């Protein structure tokens, strides 16, 4: 959690690097191919809320699985957790969100529009209607969304939708370490929805009011290795982005200066991606000291210290946090994978194609399977059988139609391999496998397909 740090999009605009694609193109592709849609569009939509379509839902799930695999499954020092969205309201008093989770807000008295004070390019001038002298003084606006619990809508029933998932971990620290039989250094991870009443949601799914976070809270003893552990997590997260092919020139790890960090934080790094509008934060990694557990112990009066059986001593572990936005990471994968390129066919004719170069683990569909002609039952049946036989090993899709259009569609949704079933298949049981990136076509025996594709695509 970074309280009141909101300068990312502004700071980014001066970047010299040219955008490879506009957000309009990404949004149009997302809509056309079923990645994301604005929420409740038939009623005119609702700002800051999005739905993931058939491909987007898989894409986001793959991003979350990739995070989960690296952070939980491939380690023996991180346990899983899943806390409720609504928590006791005192949670947010202890965390500082009630007192300090604010943006500065100004209203224009003329056009009645509302802006974040730090998003006004010319001081005193309304960015929408252009009038000067019509803006109100900045006032604090709490970003937590409220709801009420139970049949009475009075103040006693008031509750918040969590603005971050981390606090669920902190208040359960003792339950978790005791039942999982873990001792620091160890971590607790969870992925879940968070809600913030952002004043100006925007840049497609970059800034939303309902979004998903993947948070890792790693607890370490105060034995002098805390900063090394923080650095190891920064390195691990760097490796994660590299493993999934995010272009290194469009990713940066910005080390926060002391005045940019909360007073209790010993170190902090923001992971930022160069979006079409500039640099934007994907994740923050921080050394948070004992601040969070201390705050909950103080307000609840309950003990959240770790009891070390060996030395019979109690201590409050130091916390290293990594907090990544899964929607922003999904958007990054989409933007980063996008390529609009010229290709030359066998006859020397130039055409353009849009291709999403997703990493095979991130691609919603890994293998497309088609019959050469959809009106030939023996080809259709064979293609369907092959697709069915690959399902356990890969994310597959059967499709049929004009060959050129089939490839075009699969390129545009980022499918790394496509299989064409043709007349030869019926005779010698081989198929053509086309590679998305090189467009090279190999002839492969159907009984070798799982091995051939496995080598290129890796795990499911
Ligand atoms: P920002 O400065 O962009 O408002 P933040 O610094 O407040 O973000 P954190 O509190 O550090 O964000 O949250 C951790 C991560 O959660 C962010 O890096 C981001 O990926 C994600 N996140 C935060 N707010 C939003 C939002 N409104 N929409 C989508 N993702 C978000």
């Amino acid at each position: 959690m970074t309280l009141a740090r909101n300068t990312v999009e502004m700071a980014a605009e001066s970047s010299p690097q040219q955008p490879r694609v506009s957000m309009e193109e990404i949004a149009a592709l997302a809509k056309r191919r079923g990645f994301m849609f604005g929420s409740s569009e038939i009623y005119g939509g609702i700002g800051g809320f999005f739905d993931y379509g058939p491909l987007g839902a898989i894409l986001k799930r793959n991003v979350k699985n990739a995070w989960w695999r690296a952070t939980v499954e491939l380690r023996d020092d991180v346990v899983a957790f899943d806390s409720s969205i609504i928590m006791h309201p005192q949670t947010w008093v202890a965390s500082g969100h009630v007192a300090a989770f604010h943006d500065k807000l100004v209203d224009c008295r003329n056009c009645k529009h509302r802006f974040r004070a730090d998003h006004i390019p010319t001081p005193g001038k309304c960015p929408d209607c252009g009038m000067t002298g019509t803006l109100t003084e900045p006032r604090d606006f709490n970003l937590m969304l409220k709801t009420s619990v139970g049949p009475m809508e009075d103040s006693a029933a008031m509750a918040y939708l969590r603005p971050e998932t981390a606090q669920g971990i902190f208040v359960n620290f003792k339950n978790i370490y005791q039942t999982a039989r873990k001792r620091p250094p160890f971590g607790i991870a969870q992925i879940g929805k968070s809600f913030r009443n952002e004043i100006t949601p925007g840049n497609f799914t970059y800034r939303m009011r309902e979004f998903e976070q993947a948070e890792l809270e790693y607890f370490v003893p105060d034995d002098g290795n805390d900063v090394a552990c923080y650095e190891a997590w920064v390195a691990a997260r760097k490796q994660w982005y590299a493993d999934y092919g995010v272009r290194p020139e469009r990713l940066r790890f910005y080390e926060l200066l002391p005045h940019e960090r909360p007073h209790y934080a010993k170190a902090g790094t923001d992971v930022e991606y160069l979006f079409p509008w500039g640099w934007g934060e994907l994740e923050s990694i921080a050394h948070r000291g004992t601040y969070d557990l201390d705050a909950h112990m103080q307000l609840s009066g309950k003990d959240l210290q770790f009891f070390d059986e060996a030395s019979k001593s109690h201590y409050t572990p130091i916390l290293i946090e990594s907090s990544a936005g899964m929607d922003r990471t999904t958007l990054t994968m989409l933007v980063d994978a996008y390529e609009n390129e010229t290709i030359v066919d066998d006859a020397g004719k130039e055409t353009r194609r849009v291709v999403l170069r997703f990493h095979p683990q991130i691609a919603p569909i890994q293998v497309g399977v088609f019959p050469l002609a959809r009106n030939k039952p023996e080809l259709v049946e064979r293609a369907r059988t092959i697709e069915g036989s690959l399902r356990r090993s890969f994310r597959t899709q059967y499709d049929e139609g004009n060959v050129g259009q089939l490839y075009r569609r699969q390129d545009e949704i980022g499918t790394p391999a496509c299989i064409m079933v043709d007349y030869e298949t019926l005779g010698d049981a081989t198929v053509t496998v086309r590679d998305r990136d090189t467009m090279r076509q190999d002839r492969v025996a159907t009984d070798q397909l799982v091995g051939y594709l496995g080598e290129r695509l890796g795990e499911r």
Side-chain angles (χ1 to χ4, degrees):
M1 175 182 79
T2 317
L3 296 181
R5 181 177 142 76
N6 46 30
T7 54
V8 228
E9 292 108 303
M10 304 291 289
E13 276 155 14
S14 56
S15 162
Q17 282 167 275
Q18 285 301 309
R20 298 164 35 254
V21 53
S22 70
M23 268 337 270
E24 289 70 31
E25 283 169 280
I26 291 292
L29 172 67
K31 170 113 206 215
R32 188 166 70 245
R33 294 299 184 193
F35 285 100
M36 294 98 153
F37 312 113
S39 167
S40 20
E41 275 178 356
I42 61 164
Y43 293 106
I46 170 166
F49 298 90
F50 282 85
D51 299 330
Y52 286 81
L55 290 175
I58 307 174
L59 179 65
K60 183 166 156 189
R61 184 174 291 262
N62 294 345
V63 169
K64 290 193 287 182
N65 286 349
W67 185 90
W68 192 257
R69 187 130 181 85
T71 312
V72 183
E73 291 176 357
L74 294 179
R75 303 182 63 110
D76 64 358
D77 58 348
V78 177
V79 296
F81 194 59
D82 189 4
S83 63
S84 63
I85 285 172
I86 294 179
M87 299 175 65
H88 193 290
Q90 288 293 85
T91 307
W92 309 108
V93 176
S95 69
H97 285 83
V98 169
F101 197 52
H102 294 127
D103 272 340
K104 295 272 181 215
L105 186 84
V106 295
D107 288 297
C108 173
R109 291 192 201 87
N110 178 49
C111 68
K112 311 286 181 225
H113 286 171
R114 181 167 278 187
F115 311 93
R116 258 165 66 165
D118 62 333
H119 280 185
I120 295 184
T122 316
K125 183 173 171 191
C126 174
D128 267 10
C129 69
M131 295 270 279
T132 42
T134 54
L135 298 179
T136 60
E137 284 299 307
R139 49 197 174 81
D140 283 338
F141 175 76
N142 194 293
L143 295 180
M144 280 197 292
L145 276 155
K146 287 188 193 131
T147 186
S148 64
V149 175
M152 308 292 282
E153 286 193 16
D154 59 14
S155 59
M158 197 275 294
Y160 298 104
L161 302 185
R162 67 179 176 202
E164 59 172 33
T165 62
Q167 301 300 326
I169 293 178
F170 304 145
V171 301
N172 277 289
F173 174 67
K174 199 163 186 173
N175 285 337
I176 299 170
Y177 88 73
Q178 285 179 342
T179 53
R181 296 187 299 118
K182 287 285 179 199
R183 48 182 309 171
F186 83 100
I188 305 170
Q190 82 166 315
I191 300 181
K193 291 266 186 172
S194 293
F195 301 80
R196 296 183 187 179
N197 200 5
E198 299 280 358
I199 299 165
T200 41
N203 284 331
F204 199 38
T205 55
Y206 177 80
R207 186 172 299 286
M208 301 199 285
R209 290 179 168 135
E210 175 180 342
F211 55 96
E212 233 167 324
Q213 290 182 311
E215 297 197 292
L216 165 83
E217 309 300 332
Y218 199 82
F219 299 91
V220 297
D222 190 3
D223 60 3
N225 290 319
D226 51 320
V227 173
C229 178
Y230 157 80
E231 284 165 357
W233 272 107
V234 173
R237 294 300 300 144
K238 253 186 202 159
Q239 188 60 47
W240 187 86
Y241 290 98
D243 286 347
Y244 291 97
V246 177
R247 295 164 201 255
E249 71 278 12
R250 303 189 84 82
L251 192 70
R252 73 181 181 196
F253 280 66
Y254 174 75
E255 227 179 294
L256 299 179
L257 302 171
H259 74 272
E260 294 172 319
R261 311 193 289 253
H263 63 91
Y264 48 79
K266 214 167 172 181
T269 297
D270 280 353
V271 184
E272 298 180 347
Y273 182 75
L274 187 56
F275 286 101
W277 67 86
W279 293 99
E281 181 188 312
L282 301 182
E283 167 174 358
S284 73
I285 307 165
H287 179 308
R288 296 179 58 84
T290 59
Y291 178 83
D292 304 281
L293 290 177
D294 284 344
H296 285 297
M297 282 194 283
Q298 205 177 4
L299 193 65
S300 68
K302 298 286 182 330
D303 174 29
L304 293 176
Q305 287 196 317
F306 179 74
F307 177 62
D308 186 15
E309 289 283 354
S311 63
K312 303 279 180 232
S313 64
H314 290 84
Y315 68 89
T316 310
I318 289 170
L319 175 68
I320 312 298
E321 175 182 81
S322 146
S323 174
M326 291 293 96
D327 305 272
R328 287 187 187 176
T329 309
T330 302
L331 182 62
T332 298
M333 294 298 180
L334 201 55
V335 171
D336 203 60
Y338 186 95
E339 202 87 64
N340 188 340
E341 62 181 22
T342 305
I343 49 172
V344 185
D345 68 13
D346 292 342
K349 195 175 144 223
E350 280 194 359
T351 44
R352 291 198 74 77
R353 72 162 181 166
V354 168
V355 55
L356 294 180
R357 295 192 195 280
F358 286 132
H359 183 282
Q361 256 81 72
I362 299 295
I365 308 294
Q366 296 177 304
V367 185
V369 185
F370 334 122
L372 183 65
R374 71 167 134 198
N375 56 359
K376 296 285 178 238
E378 61 278 32
L379 293 183
V380 168
E381 196 196 315
R382 196 60 193 271
R384 284 197 181 275
T385 307
I386 291 173
E387 190 263 329
S389 72
L390 295 174
R391 250 180 239 165
R392 273 189 182 279
S393 313
F394 309 102
R395 289 184 293 279
T396 60
Q397 187 177 69
Y398 169 84
D399 204 355
E400 56 185 28
N402 170 289
V403 174
Q405 278 169 6
L406 286 170
Y407 284 141
R408 200 185 144 94
R409 186 182 311 153
Q410 296 296 332
D411 283 347
E412 236 189 56
I413 65 172
T415 305
C418 286
I419 294 176
M420 181 62 76
V421 173
D422 54 24
Y423 295 103
E424 265 180 69
T425 313
L426 304 177
D428 67 2
T430 62
V431 289
T432 298
V433 184
R434 173 191 182 261
D435 179 86
R436 174 195 68 199
D437 298 334
T438 60
M439 293 190 293
R440 207 183 86 179
Q441 306 205 356
D442 281 348
R443 202 72 200 172
V444 181
T446 49
D447 60 359
Q448 305 290 314
L449 273 174
V450 171
Y452 174 91
L453 292 166
E455 249 174 53
R456 283 152 184 82
L457 306 176
E459 298 170 7
R460 192 170 189 281

